[in-house]
Every structure is written in structure tokens, then in C-alpha cells.
Amino acid sequence: MNDHSAPLVGRRDVLNDLRGSLDAIVSGEFRLLALVGEPGAGKTRLLAELERLAGERGCLTLWGRAAEFEQVMPFSALVDALDGHLDDTRHEHLGHHDTPGPHDQGASPQAGHDAQLLASVFPALGATAEPSDDVSALARYRLYRAVAQLLARIARPNGLVLVLDDVHWADDATIEFLDHVSRHSPKAPLLVVVAYRPKQAPPRLALGGSRVTIGPLSEEEAGELLGPNVSRSRKKALYDASEGYPFYLQALARVEAGDLPGSKNDALALELRDLSGDALIVAQGAAVAADEFEAGLAAVAAKVPLSTALDALDELVDRDLVRPGAGGRFRFRHPLVRQAAYESAKAGWRLSAHRRIAERLAEVDAPAPLRAVHVERSAAFGDRDAVDVLVTAARQVATTAPATSAHWLQAALGLLPDTTDRLDLLLELARNQTVSGRLTEARNTAYEVLRLLPRDDYGRRAQAARFCALVERLLDRPGEGRAVLVSELREIPEPRLPAALPMRLRLVAESLMRGDHRAAQAVLDFMPDDSDDPGLRLAIAMLRPMTAYAGHRVEEALRHVAAAQALADATPEIHQLAWMDTVAWMCWSEIWLGQHRPALARFEQAIAAVKATGQTFILTNMLAGLARLNGVLGRIPEGQIAAEESAEIALLLNSGYARVVAMAQQSLLAGAAGDDEDAIRLGHEAATSGVSVSEWPGAQARFAYATALANSGRIDEEAIAAVEEDFAGDRLEEFSMLAFCETMACAHAARNEPKESAAWAERAATMVRPELELTDGLARLARAHATIGPEAEELALTAAEILTKAGHRLDAGRALLRAGVACVDGGRKRAALPHLEAAHEIFTACGARGMAAAAVREQRRAGKRVAAARATGAHGLTGRELEIARLVAEGCSNQQIAARLHISVRTVETHLTRAFEKLGVTSRGGMTAALGQLG
């Protein structure tokens, strides 16, 4: 398909851009380049020239293209580009040392998961394919990351040019992947080039990187392309008919002088006109079959013997309409040729040809997704076999390509009469539409389910209404969500029927979101504690702690937490799966109430369950909560990973509400890490997004933004007032407000504003809760900021002791830093050093680079000579990554490391994956060797 045979004229500026991009990757950089032009503008010819130039520089080029009639096939362009190379070099790039099971201790911990995901996309890796235990949108994010890492491995050391042509026809999953690499640039000599038609491109194809527009040739350039043997008058006629587009210009040049059509679009019809009857029908059959087709399948579609098809293909190759490809396959010269051949066949004949291909694929037991392309175009209404194929295909690709899955489910529903299983398929469709980010379509489908359900089917209507409310929440339309819940509740004749409980639970959550704890409590008071359903009983119990805490009833909240924890321990997970949104509220309440270890265990267990059951609409909130908890515990890198995953899923969901939830936590963690500008940027974007303005997510965003400003030394009265207003309106909880008071006391003290610092410290003192010792620790730290001398040291040391006991490691380090500074300021430099050294050790272990640097500065002020601080550990590893790498070198397993460091196995695997990448190794032995070589 890479055509070097046609002459290349003009295009000097474009060629310079291509050379510049190649020079960049030769230097080891990543580039993303888009070639944009109308059909026939010569994009494919320029890509062929790019391949030649890349070859001169020693770079590998892999080339794939999307196809008009297979637009829903997941990752078709990527598979077209990579699968042959992977088949040839699989052991080089994905050898056995890189493809273990997920618990293999001898290789990269994430490699087994990545291998499963990659095998679900690339047939060449199918031997390693196993069902993934993650069917949520997080699997898509990790798949895109795995593909990017795969490309980086292929690119090293000489460089890779990945060409994806005709991506205006690409499926949603391919476009999502391109968006991913545009935002997460691989650290490799990689050039990704996409070519597309601007008028047919979906809005999401507006990627980062460079964009080059390809227009028509000038009349002079067209004459040069045609050559000296064409007369001036004919050149003029050809140029006018082709409008200067090189593909049509060359197609028209094949036509006799007297037969020039009136427009460029008729040129290809003239090429087909002179074919023999057999060649034309085989061309039409091939166009129906696939973008890259086998002779046998073209023969089946054309309903001719194979020998006839082979003779016809010889003619088509001689006419340069079709070109031979790898593995005995053929391909049309250009997608426009295939389109012309397809459209030259009558509609009824095409339908029959698709049916013949579908039947042939069924005979050879082809995968359902391959069959679905042709079944969709040929099945008749009521064809249950066709419905089964489409549904099977939809379920096989649901994890990695939910938009395609939704498309095939819609096709199946179009064939299905109004039967009972139609409702189940509609609910499945709504979930896939939600996960693929088509929230408005998901909402419409969910309401269609409500419309079709019988009025007295209260149980299923309740579940459908609850789903509607969840989708409305993702769309930031909570009012509409509450309205549908209230409307359905009014239809239930007996308010205490079990069918009402799911909707009441959702109403409690919606009330908590908008800070109306009184409404939440009123609904909870109407709900029984002794439901016969153990899952419902637990769900009700899990909402009680947050409702009490939001109402400032801390002692009651602690009692509810203890009761819910005991009930959760006694309730099998299978009964909890339908109520995972209430588990998220329980986890957040455990954070606020200082129950950090139970919260961490519950978050990780719940996230695994949500991933396994595909409840992506809950996952963003859970990951954001896990990020906040890790920040509280001083596990900044782990928190940043969870916050990034939450943000990526929010993007895939296309949910502004979910993005605000994630960005608020990203901002807080960036500030804790010392990246003040990132913290401010993320906080500002979340706070000014206009999403969830009057609810808890918006309050969290404003809190994060004001905190980021204060940490950078900026006192913004408007931002502070917004936080005050949110707390007064019960949208911001006490835990965050107390932390904000301490932050403001610190910020004013740093600006030498003791009066203002003391005012915030007094405010913090009013928020101490005897039941929660950690609140006393934060209040004492706030007073330490506003105080000087021995009193400040004493307050800070007491705060450090309390906060250490509470598990607030980072805050304990900050208290030790304050104690050290107080000693230095009081002239007691020697006494300061133990505090400052302990603080520095904590900050380094936590990944708090900015605070670690501050501790070093204070140690120098105290008279200690300290080597220049490094932002990361040896070999570019963070402190935690280096710690884990050294334990690996000692021979510890992932489970042993997790137990020794009191972290989860998943966290160990995450750190090891990053350490493997930084060290450029793929096994634990390689890591040990790298550490030994580098010292």
C-alpha cells in the first residue's frame, strides 16, 4: 500500500516538515504529526515518501490504515500496522521473559496484565490471550499505556515511524489511543503520523502535535506530474476536471481524451467501465469482503469459482486497481477505488454478497467480530442467529472497545422483536454507552428501558431509575437524576416496599453531594436496618457514617462506622457488588474519621470488585478517594497514580463531574509533592470548570485551588472566601476545613503576618474533636506556626507525635520541620538538627520533594553541611521505587515486600513497573544487575 511508483512534485514545505519530524526522532524524541487533506490530495503518496526518507535514516516504518466499510472494527488501523511485525518479531519485543502471568515473580509485575490486554487486540499475540479480570474503563487506559510502551520498545534504538492512514474512518478506540499518546508522550524515538480527511473527521480527532494541510496542486505542478508527453490543452482539461487533486489527475490521465468526465468523482467509474465482466464482479466482491482480502473470500462474495477469481485478479492487478500484498492477500490501490467498486454493485447484490461472506466465515468458525461486520449488513429482522452473533461480538470487545460493542448491540436490537431479553440488551447497551463516554445516548437508552418496563415491575424499574440517576450525575445533571427517583418512588403504592430502597439509597447519596445532610438523614430514617437482603442492609449501614459526620455528629458517625465495618466483615462480597457506590461513601467517611487502614483495605478491595464488574461510573470516585487517602498517609507517588487513573477514566467517560473530582485530588497531591504550579493549574481548572459548582465536588476543587495558592505563598481573598462559603453551606467537610486552617496559619506565618496566622490557628482550635485525636494534632501544628520559640517547638513536637500515631506521616514531618525551624530561629541550632533530619527522612520517603528541599535548607541554616538534594533517588528512581528495587535485589517476592513495607501488592507492582521502565530492564534479575552496575 506504500506507493513509491507515482511521481512526487511540489510539496516542498510538507517535505521539510516531514524531514524535521524525522530528525527529531533520530535525536530520540517523540513526535505526533497529522497530514490533513481532501480525498485524492496525495496524502498517501506523501506518506510513502516519508517511509523512504525514514529508511534513509535507518528507521523502521510500520503502516496501517482504517477502512470505510469496517469502521467499527476495534483498533483496525493499529492491527493493520503492527500485527505482521509482531508476528515476525514477537520474541524480540514480547519474549517469554516479558509475558508472565500477573503473579510471576521473575519478570515485570505489570507485564502479565499488559500481555493479556495486548493479546486482546493483536491476533499475533493471541497465544497469550487470557480473559482480563478488569472490564472497566481502567482496562482501556492501561491498554493504551501498554500499546504506547510496546511502540516505544519497537522504536528503540533506531526509531519507528508509525503511519496510520485514513483515520477519519478509525473506530473510537483507535482515536482514544491517539489522544492518549498525544497527552502522554512516549519517551522513545517515535513518530506517529495520522492522515485524514478534515470534513469526515470526528471532533475527537483534534489531537495535539503538528498539523500539515495538503491542498491541490497548482496548474504548473499538475503539468509537471503529467509529464512532457501530454499536450498543453489536455493538461488544462485534466487539471480542470481533477481540480488539481493528484489522485484524480492520474486516474483521468488513463482515460481516452474524448471520454473525460464532467467531474473528478466520475474518473474511477470510467476505470471500472472497461473491465471484463468477471473482473468487475470480482472487484465488487472484493470490495464487499474487506479492505485487505483473500482471493477465496472475494470468490465467495462474487459467487464465482476460485479459478475465475484468480484470473480476474490478474486483470485487476494489470490495471493497477488491485495490488498484491503480504500472505497471498490483495488490496485496492486506494480506498477510493474500493469505494467506487462497492458502489458500482447494486444494493441487493451487495446484501447477498455480505450474506455469503457471513455464512462462509461461520463455516470456518471465524471470530464473532469478523462475522458481525457482514451479519450487520445482511441479516433480516427476527434472525435470532444473527442477533446471537452480534451480541457475542459486542461482548467480546466490550472491555477494550465499548463504542463498537454498543454499535453491535444496537444492530442486534434492530433485529429483535419486543421480547423480554430486549430489555436486558438495552440495559447492557446503556452501560456500554456510559463506559464509552456517550453519556447522552446512555441516558436516552436508560429512559427507554423505563418506558418499556411494566408499571408494576417495581423492582426492575427501581434499578433502572437508579442507573438513570447515576448517568445524570455523570452528566452533571443531578436535579434530573433526583427527579426521576422521586417520580418512580411516587408510583410505588407502599413506600416501605423493598423495591423503593435502591432509589432511596441513591437519594441519600445525591443529598450528601449537595451538602444537604438533613435531607439525607430524613431519607435514612425512613429506611429499615433489618432488610432481608444482606447487600441492602449493608448499603444502608454504609451511608449512615457520612450522613452523621456531615451533620457534625462525630461521635455518632464513629458508632455507625464501627457497626458498618462489623457488618461488612460478615457480608460476603457477592452481596456488596450491587451497592458499590455506597461502599465509596463508607470509604470517604473512614478517611474523615481517621480510620485510615480499614479505608485503605476497603478501597483496594472495592476497586478490584468494581473493575471486575465493569462499574466504571463508580470507579472515578473510588480512585479519587484512594488518591486522597494516600496523600493523607504520606504515600504521594501512590496517590498520584490513583489520581491520574481517576482523571484518565473521567476523560474516557467524557464526564465533567468525574474530571472535577479527579483534578481536585491531582491538585492536592501535586502540591504535596512540591509541584506548586501544577497544583495551582489543576486546582484552577477544576474550580472554574463550571461543573458541580454548588455541590461537594466543586467545594473540593475550590479547597484544592485555595490550598495550592496558599502553599505557594499567595493569599487570594476570593479563593479563601469561596472555601469559607462552602464550609458554611456544608459542602466542605470538617476534615478539609481543618486542614485548610492549618495551611493558612502556615502561609501567613511564612509571610511574617503573625496576627493573621494566629487567627487561623484559633479557628483550627475550635474544630478539635475529642473523639478524633488527629484533629488536635493539626490544631497544635497550626498554633505552632503562629507561635515562636520553645513554645512553638513544644507544640510542633506534640503535634508530630499525635499525627504519627494517627498515620498522618507527611503532616508529622511538617510538624518536625516546624519544630526544627523554631529551634534555629531561637538560636538552638544543634537542638534543631534531629528534628530537621527526621523531617527530611519522612519527606524523602513520602515523595514530598519540595518539603525535602526545605528541610535541607533548614539543616544548612542550622550549620550542617548537606550535599545537593536530588529530586529522585539513584538512577532516577523515587525513594520508594529504590527501596522496593533493593528488596527485589535481596530476593524478596512482591508479597514479602508488601508485608515488610505495609503496602498492597498492587502498589508494589505499580512501583516496580515504573522502576523497570526507568532502569530499562524487563526482569527482576535485570533490575538486580542494573543496581549492581550503577552502584
Side-chain angles (χ1 to χ4, degrees), residues 26-111:
V26 169
S27 299
E29 300 177 26
F30 168 78
R31 287 288 187 273
L32 176 62
L33 179 67
L35 295 186
V36 183
E38 295 301 328
K43 300 184 293 296
T44 302
R45 177 62 186 89
L46 283 164
L47 293 174
E49 184 66 13
L50 172 65
E51 181 181 20
R52 186 186 68 79
L53 294 171
E56 290 179 352
R57 290 162 169 78
C59 300
L60 171 68
T61 299
L62 298 177
W63 190 322
R65 82 181 183 200
E68 178 180 9
F69 302 113
E70 290 84 33
Q71 292 185 41
V72 298
M73 285 298 291
F75 303 102
S76 57
L78 281 168
V79 172
D80 190 27
L82 295 174
D83 209 51
H85 178 80
L86 293 175
D87 198 30
D88 293 338
T89 62
R90 178 166 176 262
H91 292 282
E92 177 182 345
H93 295 296
L94 290 172
H96 294 304
H97 65 286
D98 255 357
T99 55
H103 307 296
D104 191 325
Q105 296 295 329
S108 170
Q110 190 62 36

Side-chain angles (χ1 to χ4, degrees), residues 724-739:
E724 294 270 23
E725 184 179 345
D726 285 327
F727 182 65
D730 287 330
R731 292 182 294 275
L732 188 70
E733 83 297 333
E734 287 186 11
F735 184 95
S736 295
M737 191 63 199
L738 175 56

Side-chain angles (χ1 to χ4, degrees), residues 442 472 528 588 757 815:
E472 296 284 21
W588 279 100
S757 179

